[in-house]
Structure formats: C-alpha cells, structure tokens
Amino acid sequence: MIVFLQLIEFAFEDGLISDQEKTIIDIVARTFNISKKEYDNASAFMIGRTFDEVSPECVLIIESDNPELSGSATFKIMNNGVI
C-alpha cells in the first residue's frame, strides 16, 4: 500500500494525473491486489480536494488532549451518530 500511495503522490506532483499515469497506477493496483474501495479511498485521500470523498469508516483520526492540537474542528466525521 505504501508503494501505491507513493506512486499516486508522485503522479499527482504536477497537480494532475495523465491517462498514461492513471494506466500505470491501475496496473500497480491490480498487481498488488488493491481493492476498488481501497483504490478509491487512497485516491480521494491523496488527490481529493476534501476529505468528504473518503469513506468515514476507513479513516482513523488520532487526536491530542490539547485543544490547540485537536483536529476535530477540521474533521467532523460521524459514524453511527458518534463523532
């Protein structure tokens, strides 16, 4: 998965992914048996403009007890009514 994420990051370095780059990413995903859900979430996380595109049940947020360092104001992810 790390290689896959780094490949997406490298391909998106110029702000867009060409058709040739997408083809290579697709081949790598198939080769590493990365599921469609994992592929979509990884792509949304790496190149998405908002975190709304990432499935909430696939995100782990680790926060600090210090309110100044807390990300809860930025990430309001609800799962089964629990924030």
Side-chain angles (χ1 to χ4, degrees):
M1 185 54 88
I2 292 171
V3 172
F4 178 68
L5 293 173
Q6 288 180 329
L7 179 61
I8 293 172
E9 179 183 27
F10 180 74
F12 193 66
E13 192 170 299
D14 61 355
L16 56 107
I17 295 180
S18 69
D19 290 338
Q20 184 177 17
E21 290 168 332
K22 180 154 178 18
T23 301
I24 292 168
I25 292 169
D26 290 344
I27 291 169
V28 170
R30 281 194 309 272
T31 302
F32 291 155
N33 294 319
I34 295 173
S35 71
K36 172 137 176 56
K37 183 176 182 178
E38 289 175 321
Y39 180 100
D40 292 341
N41 281 317
S43 296
F45 183 78
M46 296 297 290
I47 64 176
R49 302 293 183 225
T50 66
F51 289 105
D52 294 340
E53 298 172 24
V54 180
S55 298
E57 69 273 4
C58 297
V59 176
L60 172 65
I61 298 176
I62 301 172
E63 295 191 60
S64 170
D65 290 338
N66 183 342
E68 293 177 16
L69 301 175
S70 176
S72 61
T74 305
F75 305 104
K76 297 276 187 191
I77 298 176
M78 295 189 66
N79 190 9
N80 297 329
V82 177
I83 295 179

